[in-house]
Amino acid sequence: MYSVRKELFWIIDFFKGSKIKNHYEEIKKSHENMSSFGFEGRQVHIENLIKHSVDTVPFYKDFMNEKKLQNFPVINKVIVRKNFDLFKSSLYLNKKNYQVMTSGSTGNPFKIYQDVNKKARNTADTIFFGEKTGFTIGSRLYYFRLWDKQYKKNRLTSQMQNLRMYSVDNFGEDVIQALLEDFCGNKNPKAFLGYSSALEVICKYLDRKKYHPIDCNLTSVISIAEPLNDYIKKAIKKYFNVEAISRYSNSENGIIAQQLIDSKSDYFEINWSSYHVEILDIHSDTPVKKGEMGRIVITDLFNYCMPLIRYDTGDVGILNDNPLGDKKPMVFTKIEGRKMDLFTDTKGRRVSSHIVHKILQYDGIDQFQFVQEDAYNYTIKLKLFKEYVFLSSAKIIQEYKDYLGQDAQITIEFVENIPRLSSGKRKLVLNKYLTEFNYSTK
């Protein structure tokens, strides 16, 4: 049946003018030969976007004579909110467009509109990058996220797309058991896509119930929105014999980068065919040197309805040479998440937030959150499984002092629950110190 869905999808696209197919073929050709066609074709898209924007978008009217991206201003969510109507292209005011809204980590709603062609491009990106993980159109997709009104599909659509929706705000043991029963009910290809926290809940359930490896033809596991840690990767491999990878994307743009299957490193292949990516200094709009941490700034090459040129995503990362060779395009060697998700040690040096995942080596922990209160004080919030006596506090404190400084004051706080953000994501790192003192809103 899944193969029928795949054929039907492409037949429908054919009668609509093969818009998705054409985008898919260009994306595939671009990534297969990025050193020649890919960058040449991308340059054409950049030039077309600039011309369209300065001609039809009020916000960019003062840049009529500019032809280089680096001469355009860096924008962010705050700027777009304040100048919302000025970002709308006059050519698309009366055309069919799609509203996309995201709450973001700060909880402040942010919306933009995408045109029909941009939506088709995003669909083609999703198909292409899904195939790179082993997913094919028509396979059953188990999708774990917050399914609010904006995103939730109706019953007919979900059946046609072979989609199973699981909302992270209702993900108890009974739901997981029902998921596994449905999951193991057939041997057709299937895939997981969703927040890494949901994948972690599934893996911990399998651990507690002492499951053996599950033979159910799971072909693809993609983590989104939250960091993918080593525990999840190892557990997914153990129980389902498939490699879990992380995808870097956002609601307002689409798929920006994705890890490779069977890669010896955790770098992210960038979607250069649909976006231009820059890494700028944390405190200024100056490009950083290759291999240095900075703000991830992207230019969306296909949203002509509301062009976002040099858009600060709010995330930070490192851009570096591709391990596969000099002629390959640059990759993300690290994506840290949002600026306020970074730590500093007691000497003020930035420390990777990924160290928080080391706490998963301790038994009995259901949920956790790390909070940097100020330059020297840190709080580790732990929610334990019921009836579990935790005896590792002193060991945890010493382990994290090795990262943060022996003069760090670390407090362990046991809580009933760690609340999710309005997006349904669970914030693992909360840095009150950096947010207040170091990173003012631009």
Side-chain angles (χ1 to χ4, degrees):
M1 183 63 182
Y2 75 93
S3 60
V4 174
R5 286 187 172 93
K6 180 179 180 179
E7 293 299 325
L8 183 61
F9 175 88
W10 289 119
I11 290 173
I12 293 173
D13 179 59
F14 173 79
F15 283 106
K16 289 184 176 181
S18 297
K19 293 180 180 179
I20 297 172
K21 184 70 171 180
N22 291 337
H23 277 300
Y24 172 82
E25 293 295 343
E26 183 192 273
I27 294 165
K28 185 176 181 180
K29 183 178 180 181
S30 175
H31 280 267
E32 288 175 347
N33 194 11
M34 185 60 77
S35 60
S36 56
F37 167 80
F39 276 102
E40 292 173 5
R42 197 170 67 91
Q43 186 58 40
V44 173
H45 288 311
I46 291 173
E47 293 171 359
N48 290 342
L49 175 71
I50 290 175
K51 185 177 189 312
H52 166 78
S53 299
V54 299
D55 288 346
T56 72
V57 180
F59 185 83
Y60 295 114
K61 67 179 181 180
D62 294 333
F63 299 89
M64 188 66 67
N65 297 320
E66 293 292 353
K67 295 185 179 180
K68 295 182 178 180
L69 282 178
Q70 59 264 37
N71 293 333
F72 281 76
V74 176
I75 61 174
N76 56 28
K77 289 182 175 68
V78 175
I79 292 173
V80 176
R81 284 194 198 99
K82 290 182 177 179
N83 303 276
F84 189 75
D85 289 336
L86 297 182
F87 278 93
K88 296 179 180 178
S89 168
S90 59
L91 295 182
Y92 287 81
L93 293 177
N94 298 315
K95 293 184 178 181
K96 181 178 181 180
N97 300 304
Y98 298 88
Q99 178 180 287
V100 177
M101 181 172 289
T102 175
S103 62
S105 295
T106 61
N108 295 321
F110 177 72
K111 71 175 180 179
I112 65 165
Y113 288 93
Q114 297 178 347
D115 56 76
V116 173
N117 188 59
K118 166 62 179 176
K119 191 171 186 297
R121 184 72 177 197
N122 276 359
T123 301
D125 275 336
T126 300
I127 295 170
F128 176 78
F129 281 95
E131 288 178 347
K132 291 175 77 69
T133 72
F135 176 77
T136 57
I137 300 173
S139 299
R140 178 167 296 178
L141 179 63
Y142 294 82
Y143 199 166
F144 314 108
R145 59 162 303 144
L146 181 67
W147 285 103
D148 54 18
K149 291 181 179 179
Q150 177 189 185
Y151 296 105
K152 191 168 186 178
K153 313 285 187 181
N154 61 47
R155 188 168 183 175
L156 177 60
T157 300
S158 61
Q159 287 290 337
M160 291 182 61
Q161 295 179 353
N162 208 4
L163 177 66
R164 296 291 187 271
M165 297 173 285
Y166 288 85
S167 191
V168 294
D169 59 348
N170 179 29
F171 210 51
E173 289 198 354
D174 56 336
V175 175
I176 297 175
Q177 184 57 44
L179 158 68
L180 292 172
E181 290 174 2
D182 179 63
F183 186 71
C184 298
N186 67 78
K187 298 298 183 180
N188 289 327
K190 50 186 73 70
F192 282 172
L193 171 68
Y195 299 168
S196 62
S197 56
L199 299 177
E200 186 174 303
V201 169
I202 295 171
C203 292
K204 286 184 175 180
Y205 177 84
L206 296 174
D207 286 344
R208 293 196 305 278
K209 299 298 183 180
K210 302 186 184 305
Y211 265 72
H212 295 292
I214 302 171
D215 181 15
C216 53
N217 201 12
L218 182 66
T219 62
S220 170
V221 177
I222 301 173
S223 167
I224 59 172
E226 300 166 332
L228 179 63
N229 59 61
D230 287 339
Y231 163 75
I232 300 173
K233 284 191 171 186
K234 291 177 181 178
I236 291 292
K237 185 68 174 177
K238 171 185 175 181
Y239 290 115
F240 302 107
N241 195 32
V242 65
E243 184 177 351
I245 61 95
S246 182
R247 172 180 289 174
Y248 174 49
S249 61
N250 61 30
S251 297
E252 59 268 36
N253 300 116
I255 299 174
I256 302 169
Q258 181 174 285
Q259 290 178 331
L260 299 179
I261 293 289
D262 297 327
S263 173
K264 294 182 180 179
S265 64
D266 291 331
Y267 70 87
F268 287 73
E269 179 184 25
I270 296 173
N271 186 4
W272 289 108
S273 62
S274 295
Y275 303 96
H276 179 74
V277 177
E278 303 173 72
I279 303 292
L280 303 183
D281 184 77
I282 295 290
H283 303 288
S284 70
D285 292 341
T286 305
V288 302
K289 295 179 181 178
K290 181 172 57 178
E292 291 186 354
M293 179 76 72
R295 294 178 292 134
I296 298 175
V297 174
I298 70 170
T299 296
D300 188 329
L301 303 181
F302 286 90
N303 189 5
Y304 277 37
C305 173
M306 288 188 70
L308 297 180
I309 297 176
R310 306 193 79 197
Y311 170 68
D312 186 337
T313 63
D315 301 320
V316 294
I318 296 175
L319 197 63
N320 220 325
D321 291 329
N322 195 317
L324 297 181
D326 294 337
K327 294 185 178 181
K328 295 290 184 179
M330 296 184 75
V331 299
F332 283 128
T333 52
K334 190 177 290 294
I335 298 174
E336 287 283 359
R338 311 193 72 77
K339 294 190 288 289
M340 64 282 290
D341 291 343
L342 296 175
F343 273 130
T344 58
D345 62 16
T346 56
K347 296 185 183 301
R349 297 171 299 199
R350 285 200 296 270
V351 179
S352 172
S353 58
H354 289 289
I355 67 171
V356 305
H357 298 296
K358 290 187 175 293
I359 203 163
L360 292 172
Q361 66 187 293
Y362 298 96
D363 294 331
I365 298 174
D366 184 13
Q367 300 170 12
F368 66 90
Q369 183 183 65
F370 280 61
V371 182
Q372 180 168 3
E373 308 287 355
D374 55 36
Y376 294 91
N377 288 279
Y378 307 81
T379 301
I380 302 176
K381 297 183 179 182
L382 300 179
K383 177 194 174 187
L384 304 180
F385 290 114
K386 292 181 180 179
E387 301 178 356
Y388 192 90
V389 178
F390 195 73
L391 302 175
S392 304
S393 294
K395 188 175 181 181
I396 288 176
I397 289 173
Q398 184 52 56
E399 178 166 2
Y400 281 97
K401 278 190 174 186
D402 292 341
Y403 290 105
L404 302 171
Q406 295 304 315
D407 53 346
Q409 301 300 309
I410 301 175
T411 301
I412 293 183
E413 178 183 339
F414 296 99
V415 299
E416 292 295 323
N417 189 51
I418 295 174
R420 294 183 181 272
L421 301 172
S422 57
S423 61
K425 304 170 191 174
R426 180 166 285 122
K427 197 169 182 62
L428 302 183
V429 177
L430 179 61
N431 198 320
K432 298 179 181 179
Y433 176 61
L434 289 186
T435 303
E436 182 175 356
F437 292 100
N438 297 78
Y439 296 132
S440 57
T441 302
K442 290 173 64 66

